[in-house]
Amino acid sequence: MNSSRPYLIRALYEWIVDNDCTPHILVNSEYPSVQVPQGFASDGQIVLNVSPSAVRHLHMDNEAVSFEGRFGGVPHTLYVPISAILGIYARENGQGMVFELEAPLEGDDGVEPDDDGPPPGSEPPRPSGRPSLKVVK
């Protein structure tokens, strides 16, 4: 089953913007594949304003959040894997959601592994006690 984190992040982002508030995301800046201006991170974390008026080319999908933003007047391209996002909230009232820290797997490049099926060469488990259907001609 897919992680619910990217869906929740997108939904909360839309909800915050629809309520005329400013969406901020809390990011683990030391997570693999994170691309944020390191001079602005503190204690391995950075808070990013992702409001439509603060960023350009915002793209949110199931793997990452990416956009262009300015820090100290200097433009930067940011890339944040979904697993590196620790929370999303409205600046004005703090309403939002905090996520559990996900430790990257050894050799993880920020992309979550597929868990779509059994390992190669193994047979899928058959439910016991359930009838199976056959085509009868």
Side-chain angles (χ1 to χ4, degrees), residues 58-128:
L58 178 66
H59 179 74
M60 297 176 149
D61 61 25
N62 290 351
E63 285 75 41
V65 174
S66 61
F67 58 92
E68 294 176 7
R70 297 179 77 79
F71 290 81
V74 179
H76 291 272
T77 299
L78 289 85
Y79 179 85
V80 181
I82 291 295
S83 298
I85 298 176
L86 303 173
I88 180 169
Y89 62 92
R91 179 184 67 197
E92 290 78 5
N93 57 21
Q95 290 188 353
M97 183 176 285
V98 176
F99 303 102
E100 290 183 20
L101 177 65
E102 288 186 12
L105 300 173
E106 192 173 312
D108 187 8
D109 61 356
V111 177
E112 295 182 18
D114 284 340
D115 190 20
D116 291 340
S122 66
E123 293 226 5
R126 300 193 104 190
S128 59

Side-chain angles (χ1 to χ4, degrees), residues 1-131:
M1 183 177 274
N2 292 335
S3 171
S4 61
R5 186 180 293 208
Y7 300 94
L8 293 170
I9 291 169
R10 289 191 300 267
L12 285 166
Y13 175 86
E14 187 174 327
W15 175 73
I16 291 167
V17 170
D18 284 352
N19 283 284
D20 296 321
C21 291
T22 309
H24 283 206
I25 57 173
L26 175 63
V27 175
N28 176 353
S29 62
E30 297 173 345
Y31 196 89
S33 300
V34 168
Q35 295 174 6
V36 295
Q38 291 301 315
F40 294 89
S42 175
D43 297 325
Q45 297 181 345
I46 187 169
V47 176
L48 302 171
N49 176 350
V50 289
S51 68
S53 62
V55 301
R56 293 180 52 185
H57 308 295
L58 178 66
H59 179 74
M60 297 176 149
D61 61 25
N62 290 351
E63 285 75 41
V65 174
S66 61
F67 58 92
E68 294 176 7
R70 297 179 77 79
F71 290 81
V74 179
H76 291 272
T77 299
L78 289 85
Y79 179 85
V80 181
I82 291 295
S83 298
I85 298 176
L86 303 173
I88 180 169
Y89 62 92
R91 179 184 67 197
E92 290 78 5
N93 57 21
Q95 290 188 353
M97 183 176 285
V98 176
F99 303 102
E100 290 183 20
L101 177 65
E102 288 186 12
L105 300 173
E106 192 173 312
D108 187 8
D109 61 356
V111 177
E112 295 182 18
D114 284 340
D115 190 20
D116 291 340
S122 66
E123 293 226 5
R126 300 193 104 190
S128 59
R130 295 181 117 192

